[in-house]
Short mmCIF file of all heavy atoms in Angstrom, two decimals:
data_model
loop_
_atom_site.label_atom_id
_atom_site.label_comp_id
_atom_site.label_asym_id
_atom_site.label_seq_id
_atom_site.Cartn_x
_atom_site.Cartn_y
_atom_site.Cartn_z
N ASN Q 115 36.37 -56.63 -32.61
CA ASN Q 115 36.13 -56.12 -34.03
C ASN Q 115 35.18 -56.96 -34.85
O ASN Q 115 34.40 -56.55 -35.55
CB ASN Q 115 37.48 -55.86 -34.65
CG ASN Q 115 38.11 -54.64 -34.12
OD1 ASN Q 115 37.51 -53.69 -33.77
ND2 ASN Q 115 39.42 -54.65 -34.18
N SER Q 116 35.35 -58.34 -34.57
CA SER Q 116 34.50 -59.27 -35.35
C SER Q 116 33.16 -59.13 -34.84
O SER Q 116 32.10 -59.14 -35.70
CB SER Q 116 35.00 -60.69 -35.09
OG SER Q 116 36.33 -60.91 -35.63
N LEU Q 117 32.92 -59.07 -33.56
CA LEU Q 117 31.54 -58.87 -33.08
C LEU Q 117 30.94 -57.50 -33.47
O LEU Q 117 29.66 -57.44 -33.91
CB LEU Q 117 31.50 -58.84 -31.56
CG LEU Q 117 31.80 -60.24 -30.88
CD1 LEU Q 117 32.05 -60.23 -29.41
CD2 LEU Q 117 30.71 -61.28 -31.33
N ALA Q 118 31.72 -56.50 -33.60
CA ALA Q 118 31.20 -55.13 -34.07
C ALA Q 118 30.86 -55.28 -35.60
O ALA Q 118 29.78 -54.67 -35.94
CB ALA Q 118 32.29 -54.12 -33.92
N SER Q 119 31.56 -56.00 -36.33
CA SER Q 119 31.29 -56.26 -37.70
C SER Q 119 29.92 -56.95 -37.87
O SER Q 119 29.03 -56.51 -38.68
CB SER Q 119 32.27 -57.09 -38.48
OG SER Q 119 33.49 -56.39 -38.43
N ILE Q 120 29.76 -58.05 -37.21
CA ILE Q 120 28.47 -58.83 -37.27
C ILE Q 120 27.22 -57.94 -36.81
O ILE Q 120 26.18 -58.03 -37.37
CB ILE Q 120 28.59 -60.26 -36.65
CG1 ILE Q 120 27.44 -61.12 -37.08
CG2 ILE Q 120 28.61 -60.14 -35.08
CD1 ILE Q 120 27.63 -61.80 -38.47
N ASN Q 121 27.46 -57.24 -35.69
CA ASN Q 121 26.43 -56.47 -35.07
C ASN Q 121 26.03 -55.30 -36.15
O ASN Q 121 24.82 -55.01 -36.16
CB ASN Q 121 26.74 -55.89 -33.73
CG ASN Q 121 26.78 -56.92 -32.67
OD1 ASN Q 121 26.18 -57.98 -32.83
ND2 ASN Q 121 27.60 -56.69 -31.56
N THR Q 122 27.04 -54.75 -36.76
CA THR Q 122 26.73 -53.71 -37.74
C THR Q 122 25.98 -54.25 -38.95
O THR Q 122 24.95 -53.64 -39.31
CB THR Q 122 27.96 -53.08 -38.21
OG1 THR Q 122 28.75 -52.43 -36.99
CG2 THR Q 122 27.87 -52.04 -39.28
N LEU Q 123 26.37 -55.46 -39.42
CA LEU Q 123 25.65 -56.01 -40.60
C LEU Q 123 24.20 -56.44 -40.09
O LEU Q 123 23.24 -56.21 -40.87
CB LEU Q 123 26.37 -57.24 -41.02
CG LEU Q 123 27.69 -56.97 -41.75
CD1 LEU Q 123 28.51 -58.20 -42.04
CD2 LEU Q 123 27.45 -56.18 -43.04
N HIS Q 124 24.09 -56.98 -38.91
CA HIS Q 124 22.69 -57.25 -38.39
C HIS Q 124 21.80 -55.97 -38.41
O HIS Q 124 20.61 -55.95 -38.72
CB HIS Q 124 22.77 -57.79 -37.01
CG HIS Q 124 23.21 -59.32 -37.15
ND1 HIS Q 124 23.32 -60.07 -35.97
CD2 HIS Q 124 23.56 -60.20 -38.16
CE1 HIS Q 124 23.67 -61.32 -36.32
NE2 HIS Q 124 23.79 -61.40 -37.67
N LEU Q 125 22.46 -54.85 -37.87
CA LEU Q 125 21.61 -53.59 -37.86
C LEU Q 125 21.27 -53.17 -39.25
O LEU Q 125 20.09 -52.76 -39.42
CB LEU Q 125 22.45 -52.50 -37.24
CG LEU Q 125 21.89 -51.12 -37.07
CD1 LEU Q 125 20.66 -51.10 -36.20
CD2 LEU Q 125 22.97 -50.08 -36.58
N LEU Q 126 22.20 -53.15 -40.26
CA LEU Q 126 21.89 -52.87 -41.52
C LEU Q 126 20.76 -53.82 -42.15
O LEU Q 126 19.83 -53.34 -42.82
CB LEU Q 126 23.06 -52.92 -42.38
CG LEU Q 126 24.09 -51.88 -42.11
CD1 LEU Q 126 25.34 -52.13 -43.00
CD2 LEU Q 126 23.68 -50.51 -42.41
N MET Q 127 20.75 -55.02 -41.84
CA MET Q 127 19.71 -55.97 -42.27
C MET Q 127 18.36 -55.64 -41.57
O MET Q 127 17.34 -55.64 -42.23
CB MET Q 127 20.12 -57.43 -41.97
CG MET Q 127 21.25 -57.91 -42.90
SD MET Q 127 21.50 -59.70 -42.73
CE MET Q 127 22.43 -59.77 -41.28
N ASP Q 128 18.47 -55.38 -40.22
CA ASP Q 128 17.19 -54.96 -39.50
C ASP Q 128 16.51 -53.74 -40.23
O ASP Q 128 15.35 -53.72 -40.19
CB ASP Q 128 17.51 -54.66 -38.06
CG ASP Q 128 17.81 -55.85 -37.25
OD1 ASP Q 128 17.53 -57.00 -37.66
OD2 ASP Q 128 18.36 -55.76 -36.14
N LYS Q 129 17.37 -52.84 -40.61
CA LYS Q 129 16.90 -51.56 -41.23
C LYS Q 129 16.41 -51.79 -42.67
O LYS Q 129 15.97 -50.88 -43.38
CB LYS Q 129 17.85 -50.40 -41.15
CG LYS Q 129 17.96 -49.96 -39.65
CD LYS Q 129 18.85 -48.81 -39.52
CE LYS Q 129 19.05 -48.35 -38.14
NZ LYS Q 129 17.86 -47.68 -37.67
N GLY Q 130 16.73 -53.02 -43.29
CA GLY Q 130 16.40 -53.25 -44.58
C GLY Q 130 17.33 -52.55 -45.65
O GLY Q 130 17.04 -52.50 -46.76
N LEU Q 131 18.47 -52.25 -45.19
CA LEU Q 131 19.60 -51.54 -46.07
C LEU Q 131 20.51 -52.49 -46.74
O LEU Q 131 21.14 -52.07 -47.67
CB LEU Q 131 20.28 -50.52 -45.24
CG LEU Q 131 19.43 -49.40 -44.52
CD1 LEU Q 131 20.33 -48.62 -43.57
CD2 LEU Q 131 18.84 -48.58 -45.63
N ILE Q 132 20.50 -53.70 -46.28
CA ILE Q 132 21.37 -54.68 -46.92
C ILE Q 132 20.75 -56.14 -46.76
O ILE Q 132 20.07 -56.35 -45.81
CB ILE Q 132 22.77 -54.68 -46.28
CG1 ILE Q 132 23.77 -55.57 -46.96
CG2 ILE Q 132 22.74 -55.05 -44.78
CD1 ILE Q 132 25.18 -55.38 -46.55
N SER Q 133 20.84 -56.87 -47.80
CA SER Q 133 20.28 -58.23 -47.76
C SER Q 133 21.22 -59.17 -47.13
O SER Q 133 22.32 -58.93 -46.80
CB SER Q 133 20.01 -58.85 -49.13
OG SER Q 133 21.31 -59.01 -49.78
N ARG Q 134 20.58 -60.33 -46.59
CA ARG Q 134 21.42 -61.40 -45.89
C ARG Q 134 22.61 -61.81 -46.88
O ARG Q 134 23.79 -62.02 -46.37
CB ARG Q 134 20.57 -62.59 -45.55
CG ARG Q 134 19.66 -62.31 -44.42
CD ARG Q 134 18.85 -63.50 -44.00
NE ARG Q 134 18.17 -64.01 -45.20
CZ ARG Q 134 17.05 -64.81 -45.18
NH1 ARG Q 134 16.62 -65.17 -43.86
NH2 ARG Q 134 16.42 -65.19 -46.13
N GLU Q 135 22.38 -61.99 -48.13
CA GLU Q 135 23.30 -62.40 -49.08
C GLU Q 135 24.49 -61.36 -49.18
O GLU Q 135 25.61 -61.76 -49.23
CB GLU Q 135 22.69 -62.70 -50.41
CG GLU Q 135 21.77 -63.88 -50.42
CD GLU Q 135 20.34 -63.60 -49.94
OE1 GLU Q 135 20.01 -62.39 -49.62
OE2 GLU Q 135 19.66 -64.59 -49.58
N ASP Q 136 24.19 -60.13 -49.26
CA ASP Q 136 25.12 -59.03 -49.34
C ASP Q 136 25.94 -58.98 -48.08
O ASP Q 136 27.17 -58.78 -48.11
CB ASP Q 136 24.45 -57.69 -49.60
CG ASP Q 136 24.00 -57.58 -51.01
OD1 ASP Q 136 24.46 -58.29 -51.86
OD2 ASP Q 136 23.18 -56.57 -51.26
N ALA Q 137 25.31 -59.11 -46.93
CA ALA Q 137 26.03 -59.16 -45.60
C ALA Q 137 26.98 -60.32 -45.59
O ALA Q 137 28.16 -60.23 -45.19
CB ALA Q 137 25.06 -59.16 -44.51
N ALA Q 138 26.50 -61.49 -45.94
CA ALA Q 138 27.37 -62.60 -46.05
C ALA Q 138 28.51 -62.51 -47.01
O ALA Q 138 29.67 -62.91 -46.76
CB ALA Q 138 26.60 -63.89 -46.40
N GLY Q 139 28.24 -61.76 -48.08
CA GLY Q 139 29.32 -61.53 -49.13
C GLY Q 139 30.44 -60.66 -48.59
O GLY Q 139 31.60 -60.92 -48.91
N VAL Q 140 30.08 -59.67 -47.70
CA VAL Q 140 31.13 -58.85 -47.07
C VAL Q 140 32.05 -59.63 -46.24
O VAL Q 140 33.24 -59.60 -46.35
CB VAL Q 140 30.49 -57.78 -46.21
CG1 VAL Q 140 31.50 -57.08 -45.34
CG2 VAL Q 140 29.75 -56.72 -47.06
N LEU Q 141 31.47 -60.65 -45.49
CA LEU Q 141 32.27 -61.48 -44.58
C LEU Q 141 33.09 -62.48 -45.33
O LEU Q 141 34.19 -62.84 -44.97
CB LEU Q 141 31.35 -62.09 -43.51
CG LEU Q 141 30.82 -61.03 -42.57
CD1 LEU Q 141 29.64 -61.67 -41.71
CD2 LEU Q 141 31.82 -60.41 -41.74
N THR Q 142 32.43 -63.01 -46.49
CA THR Q 142 33.17 -63.99 -47.21
C THR Q 142 34.36 -63.43 -47.99
O THR Q 142 35.45 -63.94 -48.05
CB THR Q 142 32.25 -64.62 -48.28
OG1 THR Q 142 31.12 -65.23 -47.51
CG2 THR Q 142 32.99 -65.60 -49.21
#
């Protein structure tokens, strides 16, 4: 599940739908 979370966030960042900071904020 952790890997799925990080892979999902990476996909969203790749598509430009979420920033690195927002993705990090979800995990924090």
